[in-house]
Amino acid sequence: MNTITRRGLLIGGLGTAGAAGFGAYAATQGSGASAPKGTFGAPTPVSPDPGQTVVTKTLTAKPITLDLAGRTVSTWGYGDAVPGPLLRATAGDFLRVTLDNRLPDETTIHWHGLRLRNPADGVPGMTQDPVKPETSYVYEFTAPDPGTYFFHPHVGVQLDRGLYAPLIIDDPNEPGDYDTEWVLVLDDWIDGTGTTPDEVLEKLLANDSGSGGMGGMDHGEMDGMNQGAMDEAAPWGDAGDVTYPYFLINGRPPADPETLTAKPGQKVRLRIINAASDTIFTVALGGHRMTITHSDGFPVEPTETDAFYIGMGERYDAIVTLEDGVFPLVAKPVGKTSGGQAMALVRTGSGAAPAADANPRELTREVLVGSDLRPVQAAKLPSRRPDATARLTLTGSMQPYAWGMNGAPFGKNEPLTVRAGQRLRINATNMTMMTHPLHVHGHTFALPSGLRKDTVLMAPMQSFAIDLDADNEGDWLIHCHNIYHGEAGMMIALEYTA
Ligand SMILES: [Cu+2]
């Protein structure tokens, strides 16, 4: 193959090697014609510093089944459950995690939000070779910042299976002024319900051709395609592409919800992670107001609200003082009219459980937009003028299904560049009519308010100037965390140059 296009790689790889999309990077960075295989080799072992605590874990990625309120579906997961096992360490610890790949496909693990060493970032073709079936790979890195994170593959649309789990980095200096903690992982679910995420992607991409591809089906007839319902109250426009039959909290649909128990009056810390591939949620706890304390791991000025939006890849921590009774904790998909909602139960006393379609009034009161939060002083980047600027436009459309950055899909767009030590200002603009969660690997950035994020929701036609300190050398990805947009090309490289 002499001229490799990104589309050729994507469609050629569907169903067999989801890594093909990210492999386009290697193809365009090397000699062009022959995509280098095995260019990274085995990871170079690194050693913890003296006195550093080592946290060791093995994660087995494998086919499993998931019980959705009595309906059993086949999927892929880490270990035996969805989400996979909680990984927990303290800021400054050295993590040594072995990925044991028992999947029938190549995979990797990306440690979402962590400013870790580049070889551990989990992007095949950019930081490592994909991990082949029946082989393993050791990730070794220091976790520098406390916070709520998660991990997932960075291969194809594998994230839209059950391959995700929470990662909590504790702060050794935080007083922990709460009685208990609940980790809530939100997801949109389609795998094993008659289709797979690879097939969903294939249908979305077929929408690009305008002829053939779909065998005469029009958009409205496609399974698994969102009908584009607009949510009047939300600022996000047409928020998703895929129609999901289920929405989950901690791997369970509302018909069989997780029940979180505590005593009335107790203070609970919620750590809420959006692991969905194509769904923004509005989150509320019936009968309560929440105080948001952290965004993407970093502390914010505590902010009370009835509800908040959470985009794909974002995390929010909140403190709630619990009332007496049984309450629905609802994550309502934005802009989607089928598939219901995600829900867990909070039980501190007696009472009947709320129905699966419980609609707490908090959802329609004050809904906080995360990028409006204010950082605490300690979370700000040091004050400094940018040394360099870069332009980043989010481009593309639903019909045809073609997404890119700076006017071209990944592999055809020019990488952004920065020199080590610079403060880089990225002037990001969403030039599309959809909302995109913009995610930067290996760094956290600051919004103009100083708010630190690694993933930020960008509404249609919205702009942000985001600043980052180039203090982590390597080749990194910047991409939309709608996993289907990313795979369709809405990614760009950030490279350190001499
Ligand atoms: Cu997007």
Side-chain angles (χ1 to χ4, degrees):
M1 201 186 315
N2 284 320
T3 30
I4 297 175
T5 65
R6 186 181 163 76
R7 172 142 318 106
L9 280 167
L10 278 168
I11 290 178
L14 283 169
T16 52
F22 285 110
Y25 179 79
T28 56
Q29 297 303 303
S31 58
S34 54
K37 287 262 178 188
T39 49
F40 294 87
T44 308
V46 289
S47 301
D49 293 332
Q52 212 177 0
T53 300
V54 180
V55 175
T56 304
K57 186 126 175 167
T58 295
L59 295 165
T60 303
K62 60 179 187 178
I64 57 170
T65 57
L66 177 64
D67 178 356
L68 297 173
R71 178 182 182 182
T72 301
V73 296
S74 296
T75 189
W76 298 348
Y78 295 121
D80 297 310
V82 176
L86 169 70
L87 179 55
R88 189 157 206 152
T90 299
D93 286 356
F94 184 90
L95 285 84
R96 180 176 287 145
V97 184
T98 301
L99 165 61
D100 183 10
N101 182 11
R102 303 283 166 183
L103 300 172
D105 196 0
E106 297 175 340
T107 193
T108 64
I109 296 178
H110 170 62
W111 313 91
H112 181 107
L114 281 193
R115 298 188 302 132
L116 42 56
R117 50 188 288 273
N118 189 252
D121 196 46
V123 179
M126 184 175 266
T127 67
Q128 67 169 96
D129 298 324
V131 182
K132 295 190 183 316
E134 305 304 323
T135 66
S136 62
Y137 189 93
V138 182
Y139 290 92
E140 293 179 308
F141 54 91
T142 295
D145 303 309
T148 302
Y149 304 92
F150 70 122
F151 58 89
H152 61 76
H154 223 289
V155 170
V157 289
Q158 289 181 358
L159 167 61
D160 209 14
R161 300 183 188 249
L163 291 164
Y164 59 82
L167 169 59
I168 308 294
I169 305 297
D170 287 309
D171 186 346
N173 303 313
E174 197 194 77
D177 184 23
Y178 46 87
D179 300 300
T180 189
E181 175 195 274
W182 296 332
V183 179
L184 300 156
V185 189
L186 316 182
D187 194 17
D188 45 18
W189 192 271
I190 197 166
D191 194 27
T193 64
T195 188
T196 66
D198 287 310
E199 290 166 357
V200 171
L201 176 63
E202 191 171 14
K203 286 183 181 178
L204 289 167
L205 289 172
N207 203 25
D208 195 11
S209 66
S211 66
M214 287 303 296
M217 292 168 89
D218 70 25
H219 182 196
E221 292 171 350
M222 288 185 213
D223 286 342
M225 304 278 279
N226 190 36
Q227 299 306 302
M230 303 281 278
D231 187 325
E232 296 297 321
W236 310 119
D238 189 358
D241 297 347
V242 180
T243 299
Y244 288 86
Y246 297 99
F247 297 96
L248 313 181
I249 293 181
N250 292 349
R252 300 171 74 152
D256 178 29
E258 172 149 60
T259 301
L260 306 152
T261 56
K263 293 188 175 68
Q266 282 191 319
K267 271 168 87 173
V268 58
R269 178 180 191 161
L270 307 175
R271 293 180 183 265
I272 300 174
I273 300 164
N274 186 351
S277 289
D278 180 64
T279 305
I280 301 166
F281 292 97
T282 311
V283 176
L285 173 58
H288 295 77
R289 278 169 67 82
M290 298 175 280
T291 301
I292 308 289
T293 60
H294 296 73
S295 162
D296 294 355
F298 283 85
V300 298
E301 284 180 9
T303 303
E304 201 176 290
T305 188
D306 291 306
F308 62 92
Y309 295 111
I310 183 168
M312 301 81 93
E314 285 191 297
R315 294 89 58 211
Y316 290 97
D317 294 14
I319 295 282
V320 178
T321 302
L322 295 169
E323 302 292 334
D324 188 353
V326 188
F327 308 96
L329 195 158
V330 171
K332 186 178 171 64
V334 172
K336 297 193 174 185
T337 52
S338 63
Q341 60 188 12
M343 188 181 82
L345 293 185
V346 171
R347 182 177 282 279
T348 61
S350 58
D357 63 351
N359 188 27
R361 58 189 176 182
E362 285 79 6
L363 281 171
T364 53
R365 286 180 172 174
E366 178 192 1
V367 186
L368 181 139
V369 175
S371 51
D372 290 341
L373 289 162
R374 312 292 296 191
V376 300
Q377 195 60 35
K380 290 183 177 178
L381 289 176
S383 181
R384 177 178 171 182
R385 286 182 188 283
D387 305 295
T389 59
R391 180 183 61 96
L392 178 63
T393 54
L394 283 57
T395 50
S397 69
M398 180 74 193
Q399 285 183 300
Y401 197 79
W403 302 103
M405 286 183 163
N406 287 348
F410 182 62
K412 291 188 169 177
N413 50 19
E414 283 290 315
L416 308 186
T417 58
V418 68
R419 286 207 299 275
Q422 286 185 324
R423 167 75 54 90
L424 175 66
R425 172 161 296 172
I426 300 173
N427 291 305
T429 301
N430 176 3
M431 296 297 289
T432 81
M433 296 315 291
M434 281 191 75
T435 294
H436 307 279
L438 181 67
H439 177 50
V440 178
H441 284 211
H443 306 74
T444 57
F445 52 79
L447 296 180
S449 65
L451 181 70
R452 294 288 289 279
K453 299 281 287 172
D454 54 66
T455 311
V456 66
L457 278 175
M458 296 192 72
M461 306 312 290
Q462 188 171 21
S463 295
F464 280 120
I466 63 174
D467 285 3
L468 63 82
D469 280 341
D471 55 3
N472 197 5
E473 286 208 44
D475 294 340
W476 303 97
L477 267 186
I478 297 175
H479 66 97
C480 175
H481 219 276
N482 179 311
I483 211 71
Y484 294 95
H485 294 182
E487 269 308 284
M490 202 171 218
M491 304 193 285
I492 198 163
L494 172 64
E495 296 180 354
Y496 280 61
T497 55

